[in-house]
Amino acid sequence: MRINSQNLYFVSAATVAAELHKAMIVAREISLTASNARALALRAGHGAAGFRALTEFIDELARKTINTSKEINIEAVKMSRTASETARARSALERFKAAYSKGHGNRYLSSIDDAFLKTKTHHQHLEHHFRDQIYTLTNRLGELGRELRTATVLAAMSRVEASASGKEFENSLNVIAENVAQAAERIQTHVKRSQTLFADLALD
């Protein structure tokens, strides 16, 4: 781990938390949009029955985004803690090495061997655990990204269903479909930024 890595990981975790918070805000907007769409589709009657069914999928997508973002955020905090522990273990190893160097030839130097080996093993374990956390979080973000691509399909289907609802409601339903598409795109942007941050993290 580089000297400034600990700060890098804390900043990255905080940035990811901020990006996912923004994603959750947009997801809540989608959920509200789905509620408005259901109300409008009910007013439109039989012609908007297909659109009404789609609003359930839109709402479910919003819920998944909110829940997954919360879970990823919790894991990101755990990751930053692991990074902190790894940095401390690495610092301890450096002090042990300095002691070995300065105390070369000292007959009591071997008394720190056991502590050194335990610290070295602990450091290796932390590094491995940190890489696992990065891998898990990257995969979770990938899953979320794939879920969000569904929104583009839903928006396209919503436009088709809007056209069958009758002239009185078609424009309003199209606006809702467009809002869903734009909101999903905004969430994707936040998710991609988070993915980039995790992809750039690496332990030397």
Side-chain angles (χ1 to χ4, degrees):
M1 183 184 289
R2 293 183 293 273
I3 294 175
N4 293 325
S5 289
Q6 183 180 351
N7 287 337
L8 171 64
Y9 299 139
F10 277 123
V11 170
S12 295
T15 305
V16 167
E19 292 294 338
L20 293 178
H21 179 68
K22 293 173 186 175
M24 285 191 286
I25 290 173
V26 180
R28 290 188 181 104
E29 291 175 9
I30 292 180
S31 185
L32 180 60
T33 297
S35 297
N36 293 338
R38 276 195 295 275
L40 186 59
L42 283 170
R43 285 174 53 203
H46 180 72
F51 193 100
R52 191 161 59 248
L54 285 172
T55 62
E56 297 298 329
F57 290 103
I58 294 170
D59 201 27
E60 177 62 20
L61 177 64
R63 282 197 296 270
K64 283 184 179 179
T65 299
I66 292 169
N67 291 335
T68 303
S69 294
K70 286 179 179 177
E71 291 167 4
I72 292 173
N73 209 359
I74 291 170
E75 292 303 316
V77 171
K78 291 179 182 177
M79 184 202 74
S80 70
R81 290 174 183 163
T82 302
S84 178
E85 290 178 28
T86 306
R88 285 196 294 270
R90 178 62 179 268
S91 178
L93 283 177
E94 293 300 328
R95 289 195 295 272
F96 273 117
K97 290 176 182 178
Y100 278 119
S101 178
K102 291 179 180 179
H104 181 69
N106 189 305
R107 61 177 178 170
Y108 298 109
L109 191 60
S110 61
S111 64
I112 66 172
D113 287 352
D114 186 54
F116 171 71
L117 290 174
K118 285 181 179 178
T119 302
K120 185 177 180 180
T121 300
H122 181 56
H123 178 258
Q124 290 172 340
H125 169 75
L126 288 170
E127 281 194 327
H128 181 73
H129 183 49
F130 184 83
R131 291 191 181 97
D132 284 346
Q133 286 177 314
I134 292 294
Y135 178 77
T136 299
L137 285 172
T138 300
N139 282 345
R140 291 299 304 276
L141 285 167
E143 290 170 7
L144 180 56
R146 287 189 290 275
E147 288 280 356
L148 288 166
R149 284 197 287 273
T150 306
T152 303
V153 177
L154 290 174
M157 293 173 64
S158 297
R159 292 188 189 98
V160 172
E161 293 298 335
S163 65
S165 64
K167 292 296 181 182
E168 182 183 355
F169 298 98
E170 182 177 356
N171 287 339
S172 296
L173 291 174
N174 270 324
V175 168
I176 289 173
E178 185 59 30
N179 287 344
V180 170
Q182 290 179 359
E185 187 175 335
R186 286 161 60 197
I187 295 175
Q188 279 278 29
T189 298
H190 297 309
V191 170
K192 286 177 181 177
R193 286 175 184 165
S194 299
Q195 286 174 310
T196 299
L197 283 166
F198 282 132
D200 289 344
L201 288 177
L203 289 167
D204 289 340

